[in-house]
Amino acid sequence: MSGGGGGSSAPGRFADYFVICGLDTETGLEPDELSALCQYIQASKTRDGASRFISSTTEGENFEQTPLRRTFKSKVLARYPENVEWNPFDQDAVGMLCMPKGLAFKTQADSREPQFHSFIITREDGSRTFGFSLTFFEEVTSKQICSAMQTLYHMHNAEYDILHTPPTNDKDSCSSTGDCNGTSVSKLQRFNSYDISRDTLYVSKCICLITPMSFMKACKKVLEQLHQAVTSPQPPPLPLESYIYNILYEVPLPPAGRSLKFSGVYGPIICQRPSTNELPLFDFPVKEVFELLGVENVVQLFTCALLEFQILLYSQHYQRLMTVAETITALMFPFQWQHVYVPILPASLLHFLDAPVPYLMGLHSNGLDDRSKLELPQEANLCFVDIDNHFIELPEDLPQFPNKLEFVQEISEILMAFGIPPEGNLHCSESASKMKSLRACDLVSDKRNGNIAGSPLNSYELLKENETIARLQALVKRTGVSLEKLEVREETSSKKDLKIQCDEEEFKVYQLNIQIREIFANRFTQMFADYEVFVIQPNQDKESWFTNREQMQNFDKASFLSDQPEPYLPFLSRFLETQMFASFIDNKIMCHDEDDKDPVLRVFDSRVDKIRLLNVRTPTLRTSMYQKCTTIDEAEKSIELRLAKIDHTAVHPHLLDMKIGQGKYELGFFPKLQSDVLSTGPASNKWTKRNAPAQWRRKDRQKQHTEHLRLDNDQREKYIQEARNLGSTIRQPKLSNLSPSVIAQTNWKFVEGLLKECRNKTKRMLVEKMGREAVELGHGEVNITGVEENTLIASLCDLLERIWSHGLQVKQGKSALWSHLLHYLENRQRRTTSGSFSSSGILLDSERRKSDTSPAMSPLRISLVQDMRHIQNISEIKTDVGKARAWVRLSMEKKLLSRHLKQLLSDHELTKKLYKRYAFLRCDDEKEQFLYHLLSFNAVDYFCFTNVFTTILIPYHILIVPSKKLGGSMFTANPWICISGELGETGVLQIPRNILEMTFECQNLGKLTTVQIGHDNSGLYAKWLVEYVMVRNEVTGHTYKFPCGRWLGKGMDDGSLERILVGELLTSNTEVDERQCRTPPLQQSPSMIRRFVTISPNNKPKLNTGQIQEAIGEAVNGIVKHFHKPEKERGSLTLLLCGESGLVSALEQVFQHGFKSPRLFKNVFIWDFLEKAQTYYETLEQNEMVPEENWQTRARNFCRFITAINNTPRNIGKDGKFQMLVCLGARDHLLHHWIALLSDCPITAQMYEDIALIKDHTLVNSLIRVLQTLQEFNITLEASLVKGIDI
């Protein structure tokens, strides 16, 4: 929530407090206890034998640092008024954030420019207060302080000499002071020179305004003018108290949609506030962010923020940290950052970087250390932004923001119109950027004064020396935007007929801000134009909905995603899983009627409605056409109008009745103010009343309150509850005393939050997955796509990384999980070499198997180490984070994730060595529950490894089981095999004779579908009876069984030399989940009825016509369902055609029903019947006795297919040919024609008994109707089924 202030009685004042912080001469020099705490942590760490991630800015702060560079405690010296009830004063937080590094001392040799920065205090309920502070240096007048500093120097120098006598140590000592990197002692000497007789000592002091709303520009001016009054030789027109009193009690907040003018010490100050139907108030310069980072980086950072990665900003300027953080969160409109938000992280809170939750934090650098010195606890999901060096480190596999190129292009055009190079000012080293901005200003002002002709090239002269300009020009040419046009756009937008009250530069900032913000907001209005359709409204009242919030799905993600263009999916599917999206939709559900609508939502919805009106085409059919922003002019206009005509002017500062002699001051010192006049406001606020028309005061107070709080009290209660509910327990660390107990408590909250998140994630993934499997059984609706599954698994990987990096002692590598695995591996190897450990994997059931006579593969060892090795062998995966993710995917596919992690954590010594006491992985109960949640994944089948790493090499193990009964050992021919899967096939592999088991490597085949097996018919005994073939993926352990049960050999069975076998995945036995490859499984193996070990096909169980019809119905139904699934989720079509209870076997039953078996010992196959039918039709053709044309084409087709199959070079037998005919018939939608044809054929009368199904007209007609349903589907056959046939 943006906004601030609490309680309904808040008067609409511009500022709540005026605060002064600095050195308290009473208490003298106290080392900053916070940095002392840092040292304590530091020291305890070195005791634990682990150096940690506190960056060297605080490292050994008070030992190595020269006294001038140390931090001392700053105090809140005064605040006016003492307290206001609607915004209680938080002394710790204000003190910490006004001067995040404590007091600083300097001498006359150092530069002492005043520094402005802003900050935010976030309360428990998520509401905010804003602070603006100006830090400047004052001479130290207290003798005690100066002599204390002198003493500290003597002590420091003495220590320094003792420590650093050996010259070899020089370099290290220097760099560790953090003051100078590896410089010589002489340079240090310069810092070491505070001499009380020679030097003047200065100390930092800060004046600060605490306000309910963020009017950054106005507050900056107020503070700068106050400071100027103290330092200028002429005293200000009135005592300072008058100005401060004025800003605290007499200047109101401008109402929504109005502008306000009030007086500073030296000049008028203007602020304006957007109305309730514009984008919310935002007063930081967007321009600066683009100059510092460049468009490309800003869009990437923006994407990270939307996907709720951890974001760490790094800069030596507090104000830059604040500007970047506020800009990124403001550009998210209508979404709001829901997690930890600390744009300026005080040094004492560094342990917060450990937080295993999404955060957006800013870390102050001292400008001397480079990034490599900064040890961060976790980097797997971290986006690190080095603001000062124009550099950003992204988390791995960050999806692209939709239409990113066009988006970047649209932003660049606006920036160029304002003379800002889209790639930012790359040379942001201070001096260079100052030079450049000076030149830019000169150019702009010159043009305004008309000194330079307004040729469009002027702003370009400036960019010429930039090395990326060529790229830019190319980009501009490509878009066909001519520079002249850009220039004109700028001129027309600032129409000269309106007299703007603020100066041109400031107006430019307003203009650029609103233009960029409109472009960003437009992306979301376009992307989510029809989001309302997919909001799932709860069917119970709000209260009960709220209590069951976690169980409820509030948005139909699957349907929404199915409407989106393919390229958007990677980003959108992840974005829909974020907390900010969930809260946005919850908001939508909570605010039914317009009146209680959240203002942000109201603005967004009204924009979406406009777009819907413009898009006459059906709003649900989203295209990926890029729609540029059209709302810019309107938005600019309203700002311009407010600035041209100021709505409200506040009371001027006036003399207060102060005692005589008060209000004097000394040049260069901020005076001690008179608290008696500043502690209370006017009794009846007559000043504001006199100037404020009553009607807007009443309405606006209410309006502005709900707007800048954005909620009334009931809603607020709900929000606090929701914040607790949704596990976003911590928005901002308590900025108060940091006892170890507070740290422990914070970490405890994290542990609970992680566990809760784990529970919700596993549940969500299971529901999605179970949903889908239930559908395959014919229940319910399907609603998960491949993209979505990937998203869920990626977010599980993120969660694991966060758990593994919570409470780490030592940071190693970017992935905490992978580094733990490597440590584990190392330990195992050490133990194995020392001989205390027998084997690195668990080999199960080896004894039990001795008695097992059925041939089977030796089971795969379940081995954590082996799985790691598999991942390490994949050359495509280059990074640790990638390896950890691949390992998680593999373990999930093998259903071993929980077990592997349990094994990893069973090495307690290692866990103790790597993790602090409070870490999640050392909280035993939570850890147990966590592993238990992960165990639930074993209930479903994931192919998240196989389907993602499609190009890697995988070893496959083949086992061929011939029949023991019938002399397999005498077999003389040379067998071959070819395996096909969803991603490819192996090609023909020759099998060495008499070898029935072999392993070979080939590129990932995906899920296996068919095996072609055959032999070359050589030798004396070329007959082979194969029971089944088994193939196992040696990496994932998936085992497929391909039943055969038929002869391969001329003159045997149906005379086939090769067969196509259709396989099914074996499920491991759940009772003994270790018996991964217990084969054959205890239940009937999925062999088809026709594939028992039979010599003749006639002794198979006969089915009656009802059963046969049912089988046909089931088979066709399976195919229909297959095509109704989203493409990414379809199983194997081959299995539905040729598998057990597939279409082929069902039709075989049809043709075998009532088939006359002519004589003993002679087999007649269906194919024989079909060939006879073919001969009959061909003779008919020759005798030209053809009944009708339609019939004729059918007969011709039938004959053509039979001939083609008979002429195939492959040695497939009669049943194989029948299978091929059925598959081709299904593909070309001819099956029902052929059935009709054959039922009328005289050959049928000869070869079938009267009771045969094929002779029963009603049954045949119903069969034809069933087969006709296949006509609407485009059936593509697997290559292995139709090899050697070109029809």
Side-chain angles (χ1 to χ4, degrees), residues 227-246:
H227 177 247
Q228 194 186 337
V230 178
T231 48
S232 71
Q234 248 54 52
L238 293 168
L240 290 185
E241 281 85 348
S242 297
Y243 300 104
I244 293 167
Y245 183 88
N246 184 46

mmCIF file of all heavy atoms in Angstrom, residues 227-246:
data_model
loop_
_atom_site.group_PDB
_atom_site.id
_atom_site.type_symbol
_atom_site.label_atom_id
_atom_site.label_comp_id
_atom_site.label_asym_id
_atom_site.label_seq_id
_atom_site.Cartn_x
_atom_site.Cartn_y
_atom_site.Cartn_z
ATOM 1 N N HIS A 227 18.229 25.192 5.155
ATOM 2 C CA HIS A 227 19.682 25.079 5.337
ATOM 3 C C HIS A 227 20.382 26.325 4.792
ATOM 4 O O HIS A 227 21.325 26.849 5.391
ATOM 5 C CB HIS A 227 20.185 23.822 4.615
ATOM 6 C CG HIS A 227 21.671 23.651 4.691
ATOM 7 N ND1 HIS A 227 22.486 23.745 3.585
ATOM 8 C CD2 HIS A 227 22.494 23.432 5.746
ATOM 9 C CE1 HIS A 227 23.741 23.576 3.953
ATOM 10 N NE2 HIS A 227 23.781 23.378 5.259
ATOM 11 N N GLN A 228 19.872 26.811 3.675
ATOM 12 C CA GLN A 228 20.451 28.003 3.056
ATOM 13 C C GLN A 228 20.331 29.197 4.012
ATOM 14 O O GLN A 228 21.235 30.026 4.124
ATOM 15 C CB GLN A 228 19.686 28.270 1.761
ATOM 16 C CG GLN A 228 20.341 29.260 0.833
ATOM 17 C CD GLN A 228 19.425 29.559 -0.354
ATOM 18 O OE1 GLN A 228 18.555 28.753 -0.687
ATOM 19 N NE2 GLN A 228 19.608 30.716 -0.958
ATOM 20 N N ALA A 229 19.192 29.240 4.709
ATOM 21 C CA ALA A 229 18.977 30.359 5.639
ATOM 22 C C ALA A 229 20.038 30.372 6.726
ATOM 23 O O ALA A 229 20.459 31.427 7.207
ATOM 24 C CB ALA A 229 17.586 30.226 6.265
ATOM 25 N N VAL A 230 20.483 29.184 7.132
ATOM 26 C CA VAL A 230 21.478 29.106 8.210
ATOM 27 C C VAL A 230 22.872 29.448 7.698
ATOM 28 O O VAL A 230 23.696 29.982 8.424
ATOM 29 C CB VAL A 230 21.456 27.682 8.800
ATOM 30 C CG1 VAL A 230 22.505 27.551 9.868
ATOM 31 C CG2 VAL A 230 20.092 27.373 9.359
ATOM 32 N N THR A 231 23.126 29.123 6.432
ATOM 33 C CA THR A 231 24.501 29.305 5.946
ATOM 34 C C THR A 231 24.698 30.610 5.194
ATOM 35 O O THR A 231 25.823 30.978 4.899
ATOM 36 C CB THR A 231 24.869 28.145 4.992
ATOM 37 O OG1 THR A 231 23.798 27.996 4.053
ATOM 38 C CG2 THR A 231 25.054 26.847 5.741
ATOM 39 N N SER A 232 23.596 31.303 4.840
ATOM 40 C CA SER A 232 23.830 32.526 4.057
ATOM 41 C C SER A 232 24.178 33.672 5.007
ATOM 42 O O SER A 232 23.696 33.715 6.138
ATOM 43 C CB SER A 232 22.583 32.863 3.254
ATOM 44 O OG SER A 232 21.587 33.316 4.143
ATOM 45 N N PRO A 233 25.021 34.621 4.527
ATOM 46 C CA PRO A 233 25.480 35.721 5.398
ATOM 47 C C PRO A 233 24.303 36.589 5.886
ATOM 48 O O PRO A 233 24.327 37.085 7.011
ATOM 49 C CB PRO A 233 26.408 36.529 4.497
ATOM 50 C CG PRO A 233 26.421 35.860 3.168
ATOM 51 C CD PRO A 233 25.588 34.649 3.190
ATOM 52 N N GLN A 234 23.267 36.761 5.084
ATOM 53 C CA GLN A 234 22.109 37.570 5.500
ATOM 54 C C GLN A 234 21.153 36.695 6.302
ATOM 55 O O GLN A 234 20.834 35.600 5.881
ATOM 56 C CB GLN A 234 21.361 38.066 4.246
ATOM 57 C CG GLN A 234 21.433 39.565 4.005
ATOM 58 C CD GLN A 234 22.873 40.073 3.967
ATOM 59 O OE1 GLN A 234 23.672 39.510 3.227
ATOM 60 N NE2 GLN A 234 23.203 41.078 4.757
ATOM 61 N N PRO A 235 20.680 37.168 7.436
ATOM 62 C CA PRO A 235 19.703 36.350 8.166
ATOM 63 C C PRO A 235 18.404 36.277 7.359
ATOM 64 O O PRO A 235 18.122 37.170 6.559
ATOM 65 C CB PRO A 235 19.495 37.130 9.465
ATOM 66 C CG PRO A 235 19.949 38.509 9.186
ATOM 67 C CD PRO A 235 20.986 38.436 8.109
ATOM 68 N N PRO A 236 17.599 35.198 7.554
ATOM 69 C CA PRO A 236 16.344 35.069 6.809
ATOM 70 C C PRO A 236 15.354 36.150 7.258
ATOM 71 O O PRO A 236 15.499 36.700 8.350
ATOM 72 C CB PRO A 236 15.847 33.680 7.193
ATOM 73 C CG PRO A 236 16.503 33.384 8.501
ATOM 74 C CD PRO A 236 17.816 34.095 8.496
ATOM 75 N N PRO A 237 14.351 36.450 6.426
ATOM 76 C CA PRO A 237 13.382 37.510 6.747
ATOM 77 C C PRO A 237 12.687 37.296 8.102
ATOM 78 O O PRO A 237 12.462 38.248 8.827
ATOM 79 C CB PRO A 237 12.353 37.393 5.618
ATOM 80 C CG PRO A 237 13.005 36.590 4.544
ATOM 81 C CD PRO A 237 14.098 35.802 5.146
ATOM 82 N N LEU A 238 12.366 36.055 8.439
ATOM 83 C CA LEU A 238 11.702 35.765 9.721
ATOM 84 C C LEU A 238 12.542 34.730 10.464
ATOM 85 O O LEU A 238 13.362 34.039 9.857
ATOM 86 C CB LEU A 238 10.312 35.176 9.458
ATOM 87 C CG LEU A 238 9.252 36.079 8.822
ATOM 88 C CD1 LEU A 238 8.060 35.237 8.374
ATOM 89 C CD2 LEU A 238 8.793 37.140 9.815
ATOM 90 N N PRO A 239 12.331 34.569 11.759
ATOM 91 C CA PRO A 239 13.046 33.487 12.460
ATOM 92 C C PRO A 239 12.664 32.135 11.840
ATOM 93 O O PRO A 239 11.558 31.991 11.305
ATOM 94 C CB PRO A 239 12.523 33.579 13.895
ATOM 95 C CG PRO A 239 11.818 34.881 13.998
ATOM 96 C CD PRO A 239 11.438 35.336 12.637
ATOM 97 N N LEU A 240 13.586 31.154 11.930
ATOM 98 C CA LEU A 240 13.318 29.838 11.331
ATOM 99 C C LEU A 240 12.038 29.214 11.886
ATOM 100 O O LEU A 240 11.332 28.500 11.189
ATOM 101 C CB LEU A 240 14.484 28.890 11.594
ATOM 102 C CG LEU A 240 15.774 29.199 10.845
ATOM 103 C CD1 LEU A 240 16.793 28.109 11.110
ATOM 104 C CD2 LEU A 240 15.517 29.297 9.347
ATOM 105 N N GLU A 241 11.773 29.492 13.185
ATOM 106 C CA GLU A 241 10.577 28.894 13.802
ATOM 107 C C GLU A 241 9.322 29.205 12.988
ATOM 108 O O GLU A 241 8.440 28.363 12.846
ATOM 109 C CB GLU A 241 10.379 29.426 15.230
ATOM 110 C CG GLU A 241 11.272 28.774 16.261
ATOM 111 C CD GLU A 241 12.648 29.429 16.360
ATOM 112 O OE1 GLU A 241 13.009 30.246 15.477
ATOM 113 O OE2 GLU A 241 13.363 29.123 17.309
ATOM 114 N N SER A 242 9.235 30.420 12.435
ATOM 115 C CA SER A 242 8.033 30.807 11.693
ATOM 116 C C SER A 242 7.812 29.889 10.500
ATOM 117 O O SER A 242 6.693 29.451 10.228
ATOM 118 C CB SER A 242 8.158 32.238 11.183
ATOM 119 O OG SER A 242 8.251 33.107 12.278
ATOM 120 N N TYR A 243 8.905 29.565 9.789
ATOM 121 C CA TYR A 243 8.772 28.732 8.590
ATOM 122 C C TYR A 243 8.404 27.296 8.976
ATOM 123 O O TYR A 243 7.581 26.654 8.325
ATOM 124 C CB TYR A 243 10.076 28.749 7.789
ATOM 125 C CG TYR A 243 10.455 30.140 7.342
ATOM 126 C CD1 TYR A 243 11.475 30.866 7.975
ATOM 127 C CD2 TYR A 243 9.765 30.743 6.286
ATOM 128 C CE1 TYR A 243 11.805 32.141 7.578
ATOM 129 C CE2 TYR A 243 10.093 32.033 5.882
ATOM 130 C CZ TYR A 243 11.107 32.733 6.527
ATOM 131 O OH TYR A 243 11.427 33.995 6.127
ATOM 132 N N ILE A 244 9.044 26.829 10.065
ATOM 133 C CA ILE A 244 8.783 25.438 10.471
ATOM 134 C C ILE A 244 7.358 25.311 11.001
ATOM 135 O O ILE A 244 6.644 24.361 10.692
ATOM 136 C CB ILE A 244 9.847 24.985 11.487
ATOM 137 C CG1 ILE A 244 11.204 24.921 10.775
ATOM 138 C CG2 ILE A 244 9.495 23.629 12.074
ATOM 139 C CD1 ILE A 244 12.390 24.793 11.674
ATOM 140 N N TYR A 245 6.947 26.301 11.757
ATOM 141 C CA TYR A 245 5.582 26.311 12.277
ATOM 142 C C TYR A 245 4.596 26.287 11.107
ATOM 143 O O TYR A 245 3.605 25.544 11.104
ATOM 144 C CB TYR A 245 5.374 27.576 13.111
ATOM 145 C CG TYR A 245 4.007 27.662 13.772
ATOM 146 C CD1 TYR A 245 3.813 27.095 15.034
ATOM 147 C CD2 TYR A 245 2.940 28.309 13.149
ATOM 148 C CE1 TYR A 245 2.566 27.181 15.645
ATOM 149 C CE2 TYR A 245 1.708 28.384 13.753
ATOM 150 C CZ TYR A 245 1.514 27.818 15.012
ATOM 151 O OH TYR A 245 0.287 27.874 15.618
ATOM 152 N N ASN A 246 4.898 27.084 10.112
ATOM 153 C CA ASN A 246 4.030 27.188 8.938
ATOM 154 C C ASN A 246 3.864 25.826 8.253
ATOM 155 O O ASN A 246 2.754 25.366 7.988
ATOM 156 C CB ASN A 246 4.638 28.213 7.980
ATOM 157 C CG ASN A 246 3.758 28.467 6.765
ATOM 158 O OD1 ASN A 246 2.556 28.641 6.875
ATOM 159 N ND2 ASN A 246 4.358 28.478 5.597
#
